């Protein structure tokens, strides 16, 4: 005969962690993740311990380490030291990685931003960058933010060296180049203020359609989620906005979530409002089939871009500056737990891959090995000159080879440039 305590133990559910990534997976998402601040991970052991707990954060994003100015500050010189901090940390802790970002007007070295380019020469620069950076991280990224912030808040296309050189053709071109460099990662468009479902959101819908119409691949749209306490849209409005994109056949995710107080210190009631806002955002992802996960843009108020950019604002995250969990953490945990209770194991989405590939520890300064070729890398065969992989094979005024070596095919990127892919 069982004693009462033995019976209670037998009937109790298996012990589960109540941490955010574990709950998110139980609730049907692929991950709950955080950005990693490269400057903090080796100097702050408390930060490293929480960030490295894969029950809390199942996915990491480098806050700055994979951006163009970090990876190719000087033309042809690739440096992966900063970006590798995130992939190495994820590998050590059994976490996945979102990779960020390739074609972006900001944190772009002046040699690109202020250069004088034609479509052909800038295509070559983009191709070299994308090939080298995606090539270095191949097999390690659940997703890449291929194009970042191409739209202004008023819904117009954002001015940049890319737009002024190509018009909007640079957008599908970036996705084509990314697909060729790593065919197995998810390719995302990523932007902020899409959450308000206004002119900017309309244009992002158009962007997805434009990429698809050009025959280029796009797998997802990242809602950055840089929001303001008390002005965050409600759960069902957010879900409606997310569904505008899943209806186009792409997945969605919140990729850089933080919800800032517009004045500090935050009152107790403002902190409760912040918690509700976080719960609405996370809840909207739970409500939409095709919303795969949520990433906070750093987890502690100790390390956040907000006070550096918005004077007097901040405390936008889920742990305070002393690493105490805030009301926001509890609200997210509650909304995930509520959903987790109702999701049978068999219907859960598969979780994301974690970083397991082994790479050389770090490469400090690698000269580009796979430079894109314009007219130079063709070879001859019985049927005439054939272009090698990545090489140009067509486009306005192109007089070089128009056939590609097997197994590559000549694909039009834009009127000026076709490429062997
Ligand atoms: O958090 C990043 C901060 O450390 C950088 O100084 C800043 C430079 O633009 O970029 C911040 O991250 C941005 C992200 O890469 C793209 N979306 C907006 C983020 C906040 O500015």
């Amino acid at each position: 005969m069982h004693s009462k305590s033995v019976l209670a133990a037998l009937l109790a559910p298996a012990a589960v962690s109540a941490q955010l990534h574990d709950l998110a997976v139980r609730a049907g998402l692929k991950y709950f993740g955080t950005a990693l601040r490269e400057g903090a991970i080796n100097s702050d052991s408390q930060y490293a311990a929480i960030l490295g707990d894969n029950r809390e954060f199942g996915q990491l994003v480098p806050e700055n380490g994979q951006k163009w100015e970090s990876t190719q500050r000087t033309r042809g010189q690739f440096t992966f030291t900063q970006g590798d901090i995130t992939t190495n940390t994820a590998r050590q802790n059994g976490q996945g990685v979102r990779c960020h970002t390739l074609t972006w007007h900001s944190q772009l070295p002046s040699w690109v931003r202020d250069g004088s380019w034609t479509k052909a020469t800038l295509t070559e620069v983009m191709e070299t960058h994308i090939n080298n950076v995606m090539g270095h991280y191949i097999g390690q990224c659940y997703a890449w933010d291929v194009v970042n912030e191409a739209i202004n808040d008023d819904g117009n296309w954002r001015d940049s060296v890319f737009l002024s050189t190509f018009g909007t053709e640079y957008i599908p071109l970036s996705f084509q180049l990314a697909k060729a460099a790593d065919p197995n990662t998810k390719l995302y468009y990523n932007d902020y203020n899409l959450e308000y479902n206004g002119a900017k959101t309309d244009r992002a819908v158009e962007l997805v359609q434009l990429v698809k119409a050009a025959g280029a691949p796009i797998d997802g749209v990242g809602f950055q989620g840089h929001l303001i306490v008390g002005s965050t849209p409600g759960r069902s409005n957010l879900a409606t906005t997310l569904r505008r994109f899943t209806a186009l056949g792409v997945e969605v995710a919140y990729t850089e979530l933080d919800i800032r107080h517009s004045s500090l210190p935050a009152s107790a009631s403002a902190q409760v409002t912040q918690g509700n806002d976080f719960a609405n955002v996370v809840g909207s992802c739970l409500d939409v089939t095709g919303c795969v996960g949520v990433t906070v843009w750093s987890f502690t108020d100790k390390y956040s871009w907000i006070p550096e950019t918005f004077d007097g604002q901040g405390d936008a995250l889920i742990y305070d500056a002393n690493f105490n969990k805030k009301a926001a953490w509890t609200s997210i945990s509650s909304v995930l737990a509520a959903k987790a209770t109702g999701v049978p194991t068999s219907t859960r989405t598969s979780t994301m891959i974690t970083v397991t590939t082994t790479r050389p520890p770090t490469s400090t300064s690698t000269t580009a090995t796979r430079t894109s070729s314009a007219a130079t890398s063709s070879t001859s065969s019985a049927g005439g000159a054939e272009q090698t992989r990545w090489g140009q094979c067509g486009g306005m005024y192109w007089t070089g080879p128009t056939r590609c070596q097997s197994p590559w095919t000549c694909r039009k990127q834009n009127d000026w440039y076709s490429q062997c892919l």
Side-chain angles (χ1 to χ4, degrees), residues 37 62-64 67 69 100-101 104 106-107 148-149 190 192 224 226 256 258 297 304-305 308-309:
R37 179 159 285 203
E63 188 171 349
N64 289 298
K67 293 171 180 176
E69 73 171 10
H100 175 81
T101 180
W104 188 28
S106 179
Q107 291 181 281
N148 201 41
E149 301 172 4
N190 191 49
Y192 58 89
Q224 291 184 5
H226 295 299
E256 305 183 11
D258 49 28
W297 203 239
S304 166
W305 69 287
E308 297 155 14
T309 306

Side-chain angles (χ1 to χ4, degrees), residues 113-194:
R113 193 187 57 230
D114 303 330
S116 169
W117 307 107
T118 63
K119 288 186 180 188
T121 56
L122 190 54
T123 298
E124 191 178 333
V125 163
M126 290 164 66
E127 181 186 18
T128 300
H129 185 74
I130 289 173
N131 283 347
N132 278 274
V133 177
M134 290 186 86
H136 181 81
Y137 291 107
I138 201 159
Q140 302 181 78
C141 304
Y142 165 73
W144 259 105
D145 292 328
V146 175
V147 177
N148 201 41
E149 301 172 4
I151 307 169
N152 286 331
D153 281 343
D154 65 5
N156 287 316
W157 297 111
R158 185 190 290 280
D159 195 19
S160 69
V161 66
F162 303 110
L163 188 76
S164 60
T165 306
F166 290 99
T168 55
E169 283 170 17
Y170 82 88
I171 299 169
L173 173 62
S174 299
F175 281 91
Q176 286 281 14
L177 294 172
K179 187 71 176 180
D182 181 355
N184 296 318
T185 191
K186 304 253 184 205
L187 306 177
Y188 268 62
Y189 176 67
N190 191 49
D191 210 335
Y192 58 89
N193 288 353
L194 302 180

